[in-house]
């Protein structure tokens, strides 16, 4: 009898899971204000389930799908594993009750209400209208008076997707800040004994779709409002700092320094604050020293990717002065520009000198049309990669970079068209191009059996070009070097100018396949080839200061 009961329960659970899997419903999903209007969502007893996928990036999540569950990393760098049988998860010391994951054809379905609880979000669900919103709840608001104005700090239960929108209004005078992706909750508004010219603070749900909270500071005379900083707290919340000042002759201040960008070709720092003048800086070899107009009010955390133009940055703070010290990976140009009410952007970027003479490069995107080239292995959770599509993407990126450097570029194909090998060679030879570069991606008979970078050439005049491109590929991609190989490949054997065929990595190696899915990695492939070409022709720019 007990065995029959267990079997009955098991069958009921299995039937329930099948019912969920067979009833997908188009649902409007809003994640911190970003809409996914037609995402297929599975509903079960009022709980919406969404298949793990790209929509999770709207929450700034990083995830890895395993056979027994999903590994997560949140924007606050909290890590946790959600196994498919779990009913409780521990995240940053919190024990959270969750609905177990479901599976359909090997794809995990995430219960959205449980996901919200795990992340510290609020789930707003309308099953009848098939609408699901995940929003960051308001946690607290604090205010204090400082030497340069009023500091207001507003905390939310989850990092918001964008900077708040700030502005001022007249008749009556007031300043406001709009926070997209947030929902109002019960908090106490701060009061100060002496607030002139402010008269009080207000909060409201300015919009429900997208969800926007508006903070308002009322005043008896014109005031200014600026974003002073942002911080992630140890409990997983995000806190935004605002500075309110009288609009007439506001005192200068520097709030926080944020890293806006750090790609292989460009880096940018945003200096939040009200700064009377620009920035003075000096360059010495690979070191930049920026004299700051004031000490930052809030701490700055500098985290850089391993292949970015900026290697490291630090603040040098003494009693009388403050400096931002930046270490570069290679020579670059620095400059600053005002950013309106935000402050100043300090940027560093590579720039190429005007070519010594007009150059024409033929860029050949391998395969195309009826010839797909290599195809990545089948995976249940991800679409297959097709070589002809990726080579065209990389070729277009290479064309853009070369043209930015002052070169002329002709592509053997610009869409999904089949072009024969003789026709590709004929294009280059008839144009009397200065160089021919064929872009390919490799594969190996045994998936995962080989990985790394190779460059092929045939004629002696082509070897220096191959060597230059190969060296830059290894430096920017960080993959294993398989060598510069002399082979009688048709396009490099029959072209009359320096010609190479580039195989940057293997599509059927799991790690390199995953890298190729990243647009930034494909941009690095194009950048490495571009740098190799420029170096071959002697057109790489040396260190040069750009004026303030």
């Amino acid at each position: 009898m007990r065995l029959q009961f267990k079997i009955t329960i098991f069958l009921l659970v299995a039937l329930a899971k099948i019912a969920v899997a067979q009833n997908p419903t188009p649902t409007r999903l809003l994640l911190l204000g970003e809409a996914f209007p037609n995402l297929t969502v599975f509903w079960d007893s009022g709980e919406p389930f969404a298949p793990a996928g790209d929509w999770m990036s709207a929450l700034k999540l990083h995830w890895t799908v395993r056979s027994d569950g999903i590994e997560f990393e949140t924007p606050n760098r909290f890590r946790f594993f959600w196994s498919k049988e779990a009913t409780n998860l521990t995240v940053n010391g919190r024990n959270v009750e969750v609905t177990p994951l479901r599976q359909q054809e090997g794809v995990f379905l995430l219960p959205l209400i449980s996901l919200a609880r795990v992340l510290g979000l609020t789930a707003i669900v309308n099953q009848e209208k098939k609408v699901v919103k995940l929003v960051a709840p308001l946690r607290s608001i604090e205010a204090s008076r400082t030497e340069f104005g009023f500091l207001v700090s507003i905390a939310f239960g989850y990092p918001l997707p964008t900077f708040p929108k700030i502005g001022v209004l007249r008749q009556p005078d007031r300043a406001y800040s709009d926070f997209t992706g947030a929902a109002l909750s019960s908090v106490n508004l701060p009061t100060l004994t002496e607030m002139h010219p402010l008269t009080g603070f207000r909060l409201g749900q300015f919009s429900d779709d997208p969800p926007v909270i508006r903070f308002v500071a009322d005043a008896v005379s014109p005031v200014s409002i600026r974003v002073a900083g942002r911080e992630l707290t140890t409990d997983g919340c995000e806190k935004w700092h605002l500075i309110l000042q009288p609009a007439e002759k506001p005192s200068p201040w520097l709030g926080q320094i944020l890293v806006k960008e750090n790609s292989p070709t460009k880096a940018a720092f945003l200096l939040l604050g009200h700064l009377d003048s620009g920035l003075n800086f000096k360059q010495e070899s690979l070191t930049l020293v920026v004299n700051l107009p004031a000490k930052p009010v809030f701490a700055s955390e500098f985290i850089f990717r391993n292949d970015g133009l900026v290697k490291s940055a630090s603040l040098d703070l003494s009693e009388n002065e403050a400096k931002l010290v930046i270490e570069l990976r290679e020579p670059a140009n620095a400059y600053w520009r005002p950013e309106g009410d935000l402050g100043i952007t300090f940027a560093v970027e590579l720039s190429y000198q005007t070519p010594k003479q007009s150059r024409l490069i033929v860029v050949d995107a391998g395969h195309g049309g009826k010839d797909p080239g290599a195809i990545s292995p089948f995976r249940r959770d991800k679409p297959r990669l097709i070589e002809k599509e990726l080579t065209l993407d990389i070729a277009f990126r290479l064309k853009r970079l070369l043209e930015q450097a002052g070169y002329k570029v002709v592509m053997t194909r610009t869409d999904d068209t089949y072009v024969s090998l003789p026709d590709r060679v004929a294009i280059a030879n008839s144009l009397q191009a200065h160089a021919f570069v064929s872009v390919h991606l490799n594969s190996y008979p045994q998936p995962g059996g080989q990985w790394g970078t190779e460059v092929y050439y045939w004629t002696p005049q082509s070897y220096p070009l191959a060597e230059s491109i190969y060296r830059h590929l290894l430096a920017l991609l960080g993959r294993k070097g398989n060598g510069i190989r002399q082979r009688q490949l048709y396009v490099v054997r029959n072209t009359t100018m320096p010609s190479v065929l580039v195989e940057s990595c293997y599509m059927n190696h799991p790690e390199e396949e995953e890298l190729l899915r990243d647009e930034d990695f494909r941009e690095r492939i194009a950048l490495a080839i571009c740098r190799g070409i420029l170096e071959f022709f002697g057109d790489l720019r040396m260190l040069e200061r750009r004026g303030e």
Side-chain angles (χ1 to χ4, degrees):
M1 187 68 179
R2 182 175 296 176
L3 179 61
Q4 289 179 336
F5 177 75
K6 289 184 177 179
I7 293 173
T8 302
I9 294 298
F10 174 80
L11 290 173
L12 287 173
V13 171
L15 288 171
K17 291 185 177 182
I18 292 172
V20 170
Q22 291 178 344
N23 291 283
T25 305
T27 299
R28 189 162 191 272
L29 177 64
L30 281 90
L31 302 174
L32 300 175
E34 183 176 345
F36 297 82
N38 297 308
L39 184 69
T40 300
V41 172
F42 303 83
W43 292 80
D44 180 32
S45 302
E47 173 104 17
F49 290 75
D54 291 341
W55 59 269
M56 293 150 63
S57 297
L59 299 174
K60 299 180 181 177
L61 294 172
H62 295 279
W63 70 94
T64 302
V65 177
R66 293 182 3 191
S67 60
D68 55 343
I70 306 176
E71 293 179 346
F72 286 94
E73 182 177 354
T74 72
N76 310 73
R77 303 192 198 103
F78 299 148
R79 296 185 179 184
F80 62 93
F81 176 65
W82 194 334
S83 70
K84 59 185 179 182
E85 304 297 338
T87 57
N88 284 277
L89 297 179
T90 300
V91 182
N92 192 33
R94 294 187 302 120
N95 188 44
V96 185
E97 185 177 339
V98 297
T99 302
L101 301 176
R102 304 290 174 84
Q103 273 187 295
Q104 181 190 33
E105 298 180 355
V107 177
F108 283 112
L109 306 179
L110 283 159
L112 295 177
I113 296 176
S114 297
L115 178 65
R117 284 199 300 268
V118 169
L119 298 179
L121 294 160
T122 296
I124 303 172
V125 177
N126 188 322
Q127 186 175 4
E128 181 181 351
K129 295 183 178 180
K130 294 297 183 284
V131 176
V132 180
K133 301 177 187 177
L134 300 190
V135 296
L138 178 66
R139 292 297 190 209
S140 66
I141 176 169
E142 302 168 333
S144 61
R145 189 166 191 133
T146 71
E147 58 183 311
F148 41 80
F150 293 95
L151 170 64
V152 177
S153 300
I154 304 177
F156 299 92
Y158 195 82
L160 300 181
T162 60
F163 263 61
K165 176 185 176 183
I166 57 176
V168 295
L169 300 168
R170 301 296 305 274
Q171 297 180 348
D173 289 302
R174 57 205 186 276
Y176 69 88
S177 182
D178 290 342
F179 297 90
T180 299
L184 203 61
S185 59
S186 179
V187 298
N188 295 322
L189 289 172
T191 58
L192 301 173
T193 55
E194 174 53 49
M195 297 186 63
H196 185 79
L198 303 182
T199 59
F201 303 125
R202 292 182 285 135
L203 282 169
Q205 192 72 46
F206 186 68
S207 168
D208 289 319
D209 192 356
V212 178
I213 285 180
R214 170 164 285 189
F215 162 77
V216 179
D218 294 307
V220 295
S221 60
V223 292
S224 68
I225 184 170
R226 292 177 184 264
V227 177
R230 167 187 176 269
E231 63 175 310
L232 300 176
T233 61
T234 56
D235 59 355
C237 294
E238 178 183 65
K239 186 177 288 188
W240 287 93
H241 302 290
L242 309 173
I243 293 291
L244 292 150
Q245 294 177 292
E248 185 178 357
K249 296 181 180 179
S251 302
W253 53 272
L254 173 59
Q256 188 179 44
I257 302 175
L258 302 177
V259 180
K260 288 177 60 178
E261 179 183 358
N262 188 33
S263 72
T265 59
K266 184 177 180 180
F269 297 80
L270 177 59
L271 283 68
L272 296 171
H274 174 62
L275 306 171
D276 282 340
S277 60
L279 299 174
N280 295 316
F281 62 93
K282 63 179 181 180
Q283 295 178 261
E284 295 179 0
S285 183
L286 298 180
T287 301
L288 277 164
V289 179
V290 184
N291 295 310
L292 302 176
K295 293 181 181 181
V297 178
F298 300 103
S300 302
E301 183 179 12
F302 303 127
I303 299 176
F304 301 106
R305 42 189 280 177
N306 291 332
D307 62 340
L309 179 57
V310 171
K311 181 179 181 180
S312 65
S314 61
L315 287 172
D316 183 1
L317 304 177
S318 65
E319 185 176 348
N320 299 319
E321 59 182 2
K323 297 178 181 180
L324 173 63
V325 181
I326 300 169
E327 298 292 338
L328 304 176
R329 294 188 186 277
E330 57 184 291
N333 302 327
Y335 60 96
W336 62 266
R337 62 174 181 266
E339 289 289 353
D341 290 337
L342 286 177
I344 288 177
T345 288
F346 182 76
V348 188
E349 62 180 321
L350 293 178
S351 182
Y352 305 112
Q353 64 191 37
T354 302
K356 297 180 175 125
Q357 67 180 76
S358 177
R359 307 280 185 189
L360 173 61
I361 311 299
V362 170
V363 175
D364 174 44
H367 308 282
K370 65 182 182 181
D371 176 15
I375 301 175
S376 66
F378 172 75
R379 301 188 188 284
R380 291 183 178 274
D381 58 332
K382 293 180 180 177
R384 301 179 81 169
L385 297 179
I386 302 174
E387 184 181 2
K388 68 175 181 178
E389 297 175 355
L390 296 184
T391 57
L392 186 61
D393 175 84
I394 295 168
F396 270 120
R397 294 172 188 273
L398 177 57
K399 177 178 184 290
R400 185 192 78 245
L401 292 168
L402 287 170
E403 289 176 341
Q404 288 174 354
Y407 283 34
K408 295 179 181 179
V409 177
V410 171
M411 295 176 62
T412 57
R413 68 179 180 97
T414 58
D415 54 20
D416 187 16
T417 302
Y418 175 76
V419 181
S420 69
L421 297 182
D423 285 345
R424 295 171 194 252
V425 168
I427 290 171
N429 288 343
S430 65
L431 292 172
Q432 296 183 345
H434 291 87
F436 174 91
V437 177
S438 189
V439 179
H440 285 256
L441 295 164
N442 224 329
S443 66
Y444 195 70
Q446 181 183 352
Q450 180 60 289
W451 63 284
T453 299
E454 297 139 29
V455 177
Y456 293 85
Y457 76 102
W458 175 242
T459 64
Q461 66 171 343
S462 299
Y463 177 82
L465 176 61
E467 190 277 332
S468 181
I469 291 175
Y470 179 71
R471 184 161 30 80
H472 283 278
L473 282 166
L474 295 187
L476 277 184
L477 303 187
R479 310 308 297 161
K480 180 181 68 166
N482 295 326
I484 304 166
R485 300 178 175 181
Q486 187 176 28
R487 296 287 189 276
Q488 293 193 52
L489 303 176
Y490 189 92
V491 292
V492 298
R493 178 166 51 91
N494 292 284
T495 41
T496 59
M497 69 290 302
S499 304
V500 297
L501 187 147
V502 177
E503 300 271 15
S504 58
C505 56
Y506 282 73
M507 291 182 58
N508 63 353
H509 183 276
E511 185 176 346
E512 295 191 336
E513 174 196 340
E514 197 62 33
L515 287 170
L516 286 168
R517 295 183 186 276
D518 183 1
E519 286 189 16
D520 180 70
F521 184 77
R522 300 197 298 274
E523 180 76 10
R524 277 188 276 157
I525 294 174
L527 178 62
I529 298 173
C530 177
R531 288 185 185 176
I533 294 170
L534 294 176
E535 184 179 82
F536 172 72
F537 287 112
D539 291 328
L540 268 184
R541 179 183 288 272
M542 301 305 291
L543 179 65
E544 177 181 318
R545 176 172 172 144
R546 191 158 148 187
E548 299 90 344

